Amino acid sequence: MLRCESLQRHYLSVPLDHNGYYDVAIWLRRACIAPDHTPDARVVEIPSYMGRRCLYTDVTVRSGWRVRLATVHLESTGSQGPVRKAQLDAIFPALKGEPWSSGAEQSKSTPGLLLPDIAVLTGDFNLCACSE
């Protein structure tokens, strides 16, 4: 999928050294991001028995807002509720507190700080009302 030419015409893949056969990816619609923006991949290492990690990138969208986009696939077995909580506990501070990757702009939501204006976490959280 990362090498599909028809996808690459309309979407930009966030570059990442994949950790083997299993990983997460972020695709950005080219029409939505600032024309001069080149996204970079950043990783939040999370506790995992399954080799999971959180991938995020900082994107300046055409409106000028700085958006931090993240994706993750949390541990998947029903008994891993405490591990999923620990994974989220590792992810949220990084998404909220890590400096903006470009380091060149002020935050619209908090002037003076180099942070994203908004952060969005997506992925497979493996949350179910029937498990922890």
Side-chain angles (χ1 to χ4, degrees):
M1 193 166 151
L2 294 173
R3 292 182 179 86
C4 179
E5 288 182 27
S6 61
L7 277 176
Q8 289 180 358
R9 255 180 275 147
H10 301 287
Y11 294 89
L12 181 63
S13 166
V14 175
L16 176 71
D17 291 331
H18 293 282
N19 67 358
Y21 73 97
Y22 180 87
D23 213 342
V24 292
I26 296 176
W27 288 85
L28 305 170
R29 188 176 171 109
R30 292 179 186 274
C32 296
I33 61 175
D36 60 343
H37 183 78
T38 304
D40 63 332
R42 297 168 80 182
V43 173
V44 179
E45 298 297 339
I46 58 177
S48 177
Y49 300 109
M50 301 175 175
R52 310 282 170 96
R53 61 186 177 172
C54 175
L55 171 66
Y56 73 96
T57 190
D58 291 338
V59 179
T60 304
V61 295
R62 290 187 180 266
S63 67
W65 281 85
R66 293 191 330 259
V67 179
R68 179 163 287 159
L69 296 172
T71 189
V72 68
H73 189 165
L74 300 180
E75 302 296 281
S76 58
T77 58
S79 64
Q80 296 299 315
V83 177
R84 286 190 290 277
K85 181 184 181 316
Q87 290 172 326
L88 291 171
D89 287 345
I91 293 168
F92 289 142
L95 297 186
K96 284 179 24 179
E98 286 295 315
W100 185 250
S101 64
S102 73
E105 303 171 20
Q106 298 280 318
S107 172
K108 288 184 179 184
S109 61
T110 313
L113 295 178
L114 302 173
L115 297 172
D117 296 308
I118 189 170
V120 179
L121 177 62
T122 66
D124 185 345
F125 301 110
N126 285 306
L127 300 178
C128 175
C130 58
S131 66
E132 295 182 47

